[in-house]
Amino acid sequence: MNCKPGDLAIIIQSEISENIGRIVHVGGPYGYAFDGVFRWVITAEGAPMRGCVANGQFVDANTGFIEDYMLRPVSGLPINDETPIEINVPEAVKLAWGIEAPVLS
């Protein structure tokens, strides 16, 4: 598992690209998907996230669920005088992955 309940995490992968880079609070287990992938209940930090409901419509929501592999906890990021106060999305993804991030369109 990448995360645990209570973590702040960054969304590093999503079928809805505008959610990538968002910071979320990891609540508790949502359960396993039909394909055996573990999911967490998450709550948005700040503005609502985009989500897709069963009928395919997009909605704005403060809570939802996401697969564990799509999250990286951010509690381990260094906090010091050289850490920027604002981190743009590509930089945040690079920090979470520890690698060069792909260009998202």
Side-chain angles (χ1 to χ4, degrees), residues 2-101:
N2 291 323
C3 297
K4 63 184 182 306
D7 278 350
L8 283 179
I10 186 169
I11 298 175
I12 61 165
Q13 185 177 345
S14 176
E15 294 171 357
I16 303 171
S17 63
E18 63 196 82
N19 288 336
I20 296 173
R22 293 292 310 273
I23 301 296
V24 296
H25 179 263
V26 178
Y30 182 81
Y32 289 89
F34 65 92
D35 57 0
V37 176
F38 186 80
R39 297 178 179 182
W40 292 105
V41 175
I42 57 170
T43 304
E45 291 290 318
M49 300 170 289
R50 289 295 275 168
C52 185
V53 293
N55 66 5
Q57 288 186 313
F58 287 96
V59 296
D60 290 327
N62 289 320
T63 61
F65 62 88
I66 191 169
E67 289 83 350
D68 180 71
Y69 72 88
M70 295 182 172
L71 298 172
R72 288 293 177 270
V74 294
S75 57
L77 291 176
I79 304 296
N80 59 40
D81 291 339
E82 296 189 19
T83 301
I85 293 172
E86 290 185 41
I87 300 176
N88 67 34
V89 172
E91 289 300 313
V93 172
K94 287 185 222 176
L95 286 171
W97 282 349
I99 58 171
E100 189 70 28

